[in-house]
Every structure is written in C-alpha cells, then in structure tokens.
Amino acid sequence: MTKTKPLMYENGIQFECQGSGKCCTSHGEFGFVFLTKEDRVRLAEFLSLDESEFKKQYCDETSGIWHLKERPKNPDCLFLKDKKCSIYQARPNQCRTWPFWPEVMKDKSWKKEVASFCPGVGKGKLWSKEEIEEIIKLDKINENNLLNET
C-alpha cells in the first residue's frame, strides 16, 4: 500500500496581504493578468468606462484570451500606484485568488513562487485546508471561464 504525501497546506497556511505590491509585478512565468468577461465589465464600470473603451485603453488579446496590457521595461501591473492596487475593490478574479493558485500550492512551488518574495506569508489569518481548496476551485472556474470565452 502506497502512502500519499500530505498536502503542504494540510494544516492550513497563515497568510495576510501586507500591501507590498510584490505580487503585482511580473516574476517571470506569471506575467499576464488574465481578464474574464466578468472582470472586464467590473473594471470598466469601476473606471467609469464602457467595456470596449476599457479594452482599448487597458487590454491586449493573446491567443483569444484578454489580459491587462504589459508595458515594455516595466513589469508592474498598470494599476499598481505607489505599491498599492488602485483598483483593489474591482480587481480581477486572478488577483482575488492569489496566493492560493493550484500551480503554486505545492511545497517547492510555494517556497519559490510565493514565500520567497511575499511578506504576507506567515502573517495574519490561518487559512484552513477547506478554505484554501474553495479558493483553488474558484481559480479553476476562472480559468475555465477564460478558456470558454475564446
């Protein structure tokens, strides 16, 4: 009988956003902030724009998937101002589920992709395994929505 390795978050993870803005800058492979239709509508409304004007000003499309524009030579999110998210109340679903993304919820990835730069790790609320898995489900739904919009 093979023993399965327990999940790295089996006993929960302590995390609270510290507002450092370090998750709002590209760290290599996680460069794009992808936007579902729901995200685009919410952000356009927040910025008092119609969706088509929001897309024109702030979005690009790659392989049929919408994402925030990236600026050459500046890896920061367009909406990062003074190390703070200027659209926090309307932020995209991808940002809402950070740091509990399926691809980083493995011990090695967590240490390399989150704990190495995020000052919120080990602070604040202890998120239970069940809460983390619920957020992971939301992230997967968001990803499916992105793929089904193409």
Side-chain angles (χ1 to χ4, degrees), residues 8 30 98-106 109-110 113-114:
M8 57 133 328
F30 302 121
W98 173 259
F100 303 118
W101 294 349
E103 61 269 25
V104 295
M105 293 310 299
K106 298 169 187 84
S109 297
W110 180 264
E113 302 297 339
V114 181

Side-chain angles (χ1 to χ4, degrees), residues 15-21 23-24 39 42-43 46-47 68 77-81 83-99 127:
F15 174 80
E16 183 176 13
C17 179
Q18 302 296 298
S20 71
C23 61
C24 304
D39 290 329
R42 183 176 57 250
L43 284 162
F46 183 79
L47 296 168
L68 289 178
C77 174
L78 294 170
F79 296 105
L80 186 65
K81 308 287 185 226
K83 296 185 181 180
K84 302 280 184 217
C85 178
S86 63
I87 57 162
Y88 189 81
Q89 301 89 329
R91 70 195 181 281
N93 290 325
Q94 178 180 336
C95 302
R96 292 170 187 270
T97 58
W98 173 259
W127 295 80

Side-chain angles (χ1 to χ4, degrees), residues 4-52:
T4 58
K5 185 178 176 186
L7 296 168
M8 57 133 328
Y9 57 89
E10 190 70 37
N11 297 316
I13 290 179
Q14 195 174 7
F15 174 80
E16 183 176 13
C17 179
Q18 302 296 298
S20 71
K22 291 183 178 182
C23 61
C24 304
T25 189
S26 178
H27 295 273
E29 71 183 274
F30 302 121
F32 287 145
V33 175
F34 296 106
L35 302 170
T36 62
K37 172 80 170 166
E38 174 190 341
D39 290 329
R40 296 188 309 269
V41 168
R42 183 176 57 250
L43 284 162
E45 184 177 297
F46 183 79
L47 296 168
S48 301
L49 300 169
D50 64 39
E51 185 191 355
S52 98

